[in-house]
């Protein structure tokens, strides 16, 4: 059994169906030659001669790999690569007579996984398809498994936000644990909440504690942060504060204000 057949069987086993390819090439004889060879390797090939044919076929088909010529009569293969990479979980192989470095770079920038030049060896192309299809299918299966696992998480286990209750001067953890705050601590947490995860500059927070923004030696903010963390630990919660040295503070995680 040849290496090509073994690789294609490995790619097929990831979803129990043959690798499906859409081939876009305007040269009729070349297109038919490539398609016929790939079909002999047990690859399902749909071949079209233009960008219009590609878009029409893509609406009704589900493909693992797109093989794209660059110089098409109605659109550039680079444009097709960009469309695929931004909207479809497909591998992209550029197959073109354009051999320049600039063209190769452009192909990869537009989303190509491989850039092959004509004339191409049939076995090399079949192996490239098999290897790329295996990676594409593996990534798709992993993404599906991750999505399914998130769907199975019970509602009570879903991530909940922290809640700052300004009226009662308390911060409530996602688990429902209340942490009582002083007036200035409540203002501090409110500033962090308004920043929506961004770092609040230290000089802004310093003013809440009566410090001059020009006083780099003040440690009132640091003391306030320590007290907040101690209160949270005493209540059995881990306060997600991140201090960026000499820059500021941010609250990591969702924080709502009521």
């Amino acid at each position: 059994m040849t290496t090509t057949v073994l690789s294609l069987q490995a790619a097929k086993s990831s979803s129990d169906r043959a690798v499906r390819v859409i081939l876009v090439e305007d040269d009729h004889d070349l297109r038919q030659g490539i398609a016929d060879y790939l079909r002999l390797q047990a690859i399902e090939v749909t071949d079209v001669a233009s960008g219009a044919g590609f878009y029409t076929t893509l609406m009704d088909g589900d493909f693992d790999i797109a093989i794209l010529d660059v110089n098409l009569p109605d659109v550039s293969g680079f444009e097709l690569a960009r469309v695929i990479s931004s909207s479809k979980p497909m591998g992209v192989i550029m197959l073109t007579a354009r051999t320049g470095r600039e063209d190769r770079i452009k192909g990869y920038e537009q989303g190509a996984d491989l850039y092959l030049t004509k004339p191409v060896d049939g076995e090399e192309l079949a192996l490239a398809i098999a290897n790329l299809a295996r990676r594409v299918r593996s990534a798709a299966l992993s993404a599906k498994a991750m999505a399914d696992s998130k769907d199975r998480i019970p509602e009570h286990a879903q991530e909940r936000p922290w809640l700052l209750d300004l009226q009662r001067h308390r911060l409530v953890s996602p688990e429902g644990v209340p942490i009582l705050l002083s007036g200035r601590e409540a203002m501090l947490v409110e500033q962090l909440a308004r920043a929506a995860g961004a770092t609040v500059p230290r000089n802004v927070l310093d003013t809440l504690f009566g410090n001059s923004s020009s006083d780099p030696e003040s440690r009132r903010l640091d003391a306030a942060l320590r007290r907040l963390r101690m209160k949270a630990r005493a209540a059995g919660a881990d306060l997600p504060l991140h201090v960026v040295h000499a820059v500021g503070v941010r609250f990591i995680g969702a924080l709502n204000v009521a």
Side-chain angles (χ1 to χ4, degrees), residues 2-211:
T2 67
T3 302
T4 306
V5 174
L6 285 170
S7 296
L8 287 167
Q9 286 184 346
K12 179 179 178 180
S13 65
S14 64
S15 68
D16 294 326
R17 67 170 173 82
V19 174
R20 300 193 65 194
V21 168
I22 180 169
L23 169 64
V24 190
E25 168 62 61
D26 63 332
D27 184 311
H28 178 271
D29 292 338
L30 178 59
R31 186 175 73 252
Q32 290 304 309
I34 293 174
D36 289 345
Y37 178 83
L38 295 179
R39 288 173 183 134
L40 288 174
Q41 306 304 315
I43 298 173
E44 292 185 13
V45 182
T46 299
D47 59 283
V48 297
S50 64
F54 167 82
Y55 285 118
T56 300
T57 304
L58 199 64
M59 290 174 61
D60 301 321
D62 180 22
F63 300 96
D64 301 296
I65 306 292
I67 302 175
L68 309 174
D69 183 22
V70 172
N71 297 319
L72 297 169
D74 56 348
V75 69
S76 167
F78 293 135
E79 172 65 16
L80 299 185
R82 186 190 64 78
V83 170
I84 293 170
S85 64
S86 64
S87 62
K88 294 285 186 180
M90 294 167 55
V92 176
I93 298 176
M94 308 301 299
L95 181 58
T96 175
R98 294 169 65 163
T99 61
R101 178 181 180 276
E102 294 79 8
D103 291 319
R104 291 176 179 273
I105 295 299
K106 185 173 182 180
Y108 289 120
E109 286 178 341
Q110 297 303 309
D113 297 286
L114 294 170
Y115 193 104
L116 302 180
T117 56
K118 301 172 183 176
V120 67
D121 179 82
E123 185 173 8
E124 179 186 0
L125 179 59
L127 284 169
I129 290 169
N131 291 340
L132 184 54
R134 185 168 58 250
R135 292 198 295 271
V136 168
R137 289 183 173 185
S138 177
L141 288 172
S142 297
K144 184 178 185 302
M146 184 175 296
D148 290 345
S149 66
K150 288 182 178 178
D151 290 341
R152 290 194 295 268
I153 298 176
E155 183 179 349
H156 65 80
Q158 298 282 354
E159 182 179 355
R160 295 187 178 93
W162 288 74
L163 177 65
L164 173 61
D165 185 339
L166 288 174
Q167 186 173 4
R168 299 182 180 180
H169 280 196
R170 67 177 189 172
L171 179 64
V172 183
S173 76
E175 294 76 27
V177 177
I179 303 166
L180 297 180
L181 306 175
S182 69
R184 282 183 172 159
E185 287 170 346
M187 289 191 293
L188 168 61
V189 177
E190 184 182 10
Q191 284 278 1
L192 298 176
R194 302 301 183 197
T199 299
V200 180
R202 185 181 185 92
N203 61 346
V204 173
L205 298 176
D206 273 334
T207 60
L208 298 176
F209 297 91
N211 301 335

Side-chain angles (χ1 to χ4, degrees), residues 162 171 173-175 177 179 228-241 251-252:
W162 288 74
L171 179 64
S173 76
E175 294 76 27
V177 177
I179 303 166
L228 266 178
R229 286 196 171 102
M230 289 174 62
K231 285 183 177 182
R233 291 194 188 102
D238 186 16
L239 197 60
L241 291 177
F251 196 97
I252 302 172

